[in-house]
């Protein structure tokens, strides 16, 4: 498995108007193959990096949009109004953390999912490494599962 580069991580939207910096923690990455993530990424799956809000700095103007998610919670989805790139989400159940969209990092070379969610919805051609945990749907308590992932609590 590739390893995360040392030091802060940077990223931003496609046009460059919004930039962010993540400091202070080793991160985990998971892929979600649900239809919502296929829609938000306009691709085969979403890549999420849970990050504590205190470790995240962002500059530039953002817009947001909110959707309801399973379990009756709400997810606020932040994006660049110039180019439309989705950058991060905040779930109402866990306002102290956000999930950064992995493809927006400047360096994506080290990203490798440590878990896959909603594999029952994945596109057929996506072949998963059997050594990586895969969930048919998602853990019952997604907020707790995210919180227990190694790395973000440092
Ligand atoms: Zn932009
Ligand atoms: Zn999803």
């Amino acid at each position: 498995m590739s390893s995360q580069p040392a030091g802060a991580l940077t990223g931003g939207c496609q046009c460059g108007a919004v930039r962010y910096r993540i400091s202070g923690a080793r991160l985990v990455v998971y892929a979600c193959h649900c239809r919502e993530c296929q829609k938000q990424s306009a691709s085969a799956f979403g890549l999420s990096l849970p990050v504590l809000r205190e470790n995240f700095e962002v500059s530039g103007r953002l817009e947001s949009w909110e959707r309801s998610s399973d379990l009756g919670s709400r997810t606020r989805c932040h994006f660049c109004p110039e180019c439309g790139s989705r950058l991060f989400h905040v779930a109402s159940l866990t306002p102290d953390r956000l999930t950064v969209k992995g493809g927006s990092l400047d360096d994506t070379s080290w990203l490798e999912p440590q878990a896959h969610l909603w594999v029952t919805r994945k596109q057929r051609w996506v072949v998963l490494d059997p050594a990586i945990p895969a969930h048919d749907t998602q853990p019952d308590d997604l907020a707790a599962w995210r919180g227990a992932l190694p790395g973000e609590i440092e």
Side-chain angles (χ1 to χ4, degrees):
M1 187 166 284
S2 311
S3 57
Q4 179 180 332
L9 298 172
T10 56
C13 66
Q14 193 172 9
C15 77
V18 180
R19 297 286 303 160
Y20 64 77
R21 185 172 188 277
I22 303 169
S23 59
R26 197 175 70 75
L27 300 176
V28 293
V29 186
Y30 64 90
C32 183
H33 301 261
C34 81
R35 288 291 297 140
E36 293 287 352
C37 287
Q38 291 181 14
K39 282 285 189 188
Q40 64 85 5
S41 65
S43 188
F45 50 83
L47 279 177
S48 291
L49 291 84
V51 174
L52 290 175
R53 192 183 274 275
E54 67 203 41
N55 291 334
F56 186 77
E57 289 170 57
V58 65
S59 63
R61 192 166 69 90
L62 289 162
E63 290 283 354
S64 67
W65 170 75
E66 194 174 74
R67 72 172 178 86
S68 58
S69 57
D70 299 341
L71 315 167
S73 67
R74 310 281 300 165
T75 298
R76 184 154 285 277
C77 308
H78 298 265
F79 59 90
C80 170
E82 295 298 323
C83 69
S85 299
R86 193 70 71 81
L87 292 166
F88 60 94
H89 292 177
V90 181
S92 59
L93 290 173
T94 50
D96 59 332
R97 64 189 61 165
L98 37 85
T99 54
V100 174
K101 301 293 116 190
S104 67
L105 285 165
D106 293 333
D107 178 7
T108 56
S109 64
W110 60 276
L111 290 176
E112 280 187 38
Q114 283 136 286
H116 290 274
L117 304 186
W118 283 101
V119 297
T120 50
R121 297 280 190 276
K122 80 174 176 60
Q123 295 193 7
R124 276 199 313 275
W125 53 268
V126 176
V127 179
L128 303 182
D129 179 344
I132 297 180
H135 301 258
D136 283 349
T137 58
Q138 64 188 29
D140 288 339
D141 187 340
L142 187 60
W145 179 79
R146 277 196 198 116
L149 291 169
E152 68 167 342
I153 302 177
E154 270 178 49

